[in-house]
């Protein structure tokens, strides 16, 4: 199975900050990577797939990059509604696997 | 708008069975793969199973293989998860999630989930 490792597991940031989250795959997955956002008590929301393609309706302040084993999710200017847990997920091969999550908190 | 509504959760004894349902609306159900993803209390996301648009392809996490069965009824726009031989570690909020493709890869819409508690 492909293991997905996210770092950091949590971070504190201020409104307006640029935030970067890293996701590393245990083996190469090309660009078969998605990012999700989950707010407290809510269902996850899809942000990005194919490493860098924004889902419909997702604001351009979110961006993704990477290929192979190393990927990043960047939020260009953190807003109050962006404080949440972010998960990466690989779909290069079954079983599909998620990273452990990165909790973005208010500083 | 896309809606996915799960049902069927509850409290069940270890070793017993439960069947979850996911009613879909707002999109052409038969065109997309669908997933089950679970989240244990206070934990992260764990993919459970996926089924292709026509039901011909199914995949499972190792942790549930041989115990859980995913199925769908495209005439009823409904997804199912038959869970047998339940264990305490199966306790979680179970979400169904629509894929963006015919075969399971990426989830774009999620339901709110139905809670399954396995406890004696």
């Amino acid at each position: 199975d492909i293991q997905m490792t996210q770092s950091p597991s949590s971070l504190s940031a201020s409104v307006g900050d640029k935030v970067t989250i890293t996701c590393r795959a245990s083996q190469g997955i090309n660009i078969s990577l998605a990012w999700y956002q989950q707010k407290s008590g809510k269902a996850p929301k899809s942000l990005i797939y194919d490493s860098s393609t924004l889902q419909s309706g997702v604001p351009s302040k979110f961006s993704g990059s990477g290929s192979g084993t190393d990927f990043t999710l960047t939020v260009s200017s953190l807003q109050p509604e962006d404080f949440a847990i972010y998960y990466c997920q690989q779909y290069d091969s079954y079983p599909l696997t998620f990273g452990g999550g990165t909790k973005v908190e208010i500083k | 708008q896309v809606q996915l509504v799960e049902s069927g959760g509850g409290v069940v004894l270890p070793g017993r069975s439960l069947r979850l349902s996911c009613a879909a609306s707002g999109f052409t159900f038969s065109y997309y793969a669908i997933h089950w993803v679970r989240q244990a209390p206070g934990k992260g996301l764990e993919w459970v199973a996926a089924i292709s648009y026509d039901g011909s392809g199914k995949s499972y996490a190792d942790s549930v293989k041989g115990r859980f069965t995913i199925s769908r009824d495209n005439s009823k726009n409904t997804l199912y998860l038959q869970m047998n031989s339940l264990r305490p570690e199966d306790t979680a909020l179970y979400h169904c999630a629509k894929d963006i493709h015919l075969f399971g890869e990426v989830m774009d819409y999620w339901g709110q989930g139905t809670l399954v508690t396995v406890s004696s």
Side-chain angles (χ1 to χ4, degrees):
Chain A
D1 298 2
I2 299 175
Q3 308 303 315
M4 306 301 293
T5 304
Q6 286 183 236
S7 59
S9 56
S10 66
L11 64 90
S12 295
S14 300
V15 172
D17 283 353
K18 177 180 176 180
V19 168
T20 299
I21 298 168
T22 296
C23 179
R24 176 165 288 174
S26 60
Q27 64 190 70
I29 59 170
N30 300 302
I31 59 166
S32 300
L33 187 99
W35 290 97
Y36 303 90
Q37 175 195 66
Q38 187 177 33
K39 297 180 182 179
S40 182
K42 301 293 187 182
K45 174 187 175 182
S46 176
L47 297 176
I48 286 169
Y49 64 98
D50 287 350
S51 178
S52 62
T53 302
L54 259 59
Q55 286 281 10
S56 175
V58 174
S60 58
K61 63 180 174 181
F62 291 97
S63 63
S65 66
S67 66
T69 60
D70 295 315
F71 301 86
T72 59
L73 172 70
T74 300
V75 186
S76 61
S77 178
L78 211 60
Q79 296 302 305
E81 63 269 19
D82 302 327
F83 292 94
I85 300 176
Y86 294 84
Y87 294 94
C88 62
Q89 175 235 323
Q90 69 80 20
Y91 49 95
D92 181 73
S93 65
Y94 279 98
L96 306 184
T97 46
F98 289 90
T102 295
K103 186 173 186 178
V104 177
E105 298 176 299
I106 301 173
K107 182 183 286 184
Chain B
Q1 71 281 22
V2 173
Q3 278 200 306
L4 298 162
V5 180
E6 303 90 341
S7 62
V11 180
V12 61
L13 293 169
R16 302 300 288 268
S17 299
L18 208 59
R19 188 175 87 152
L20 306 183
S21 299
C22 169
S25 61
F27 65 101
T28 305
F29 184 71
S30 61
Y31 283 10
Y32 298 95
I34 308 287
H35 302 258
W36 286 102
V37 177
R38 68 186 181 184
Q39 189 164 28
K43 302 297 184 182
L45 301 172
E46 180 188 15
W47 174 80
V48 173
I51 187 166
S52 62
Y53 71 106
D54 62 354
S56 63
K58 302 176 185 181
S59 296
Y60 299 91
D62 290 345
S63 58
V64 307
K65 201 173 294 183
R67 299 187 299 124
F68 289 12
T69 301
I70 189 171
S71 62
R72 66 191 294 163
D73 186 336
N74 285 349
S75 68
K76 296 181 178 179
N77 290 351
T78 303
L79 173 76
Y80 303 100
L81 185 68
Q82 177 66 42
M83 304 187 295
N84 298 332
S85 303
L86 282 160
R87 305 167 180 169
E89 55 265 35
D90 294 319
T91 294
L93 186 65
Y94 284 73
H95 298 276
C96 61
K98 171 189 166 293
D99 200 279
I100 65 174
H101 292 135
L102 294 171
F103 298 95
E105 295 177 332
V106 180
M107 303 139 217
D108 59 352
Y109 290 95
W110 299 61
Q112 291 299 315
T114 185
L115 183 62
V116 173
T117 303
V118 184
S119 174
S120 54

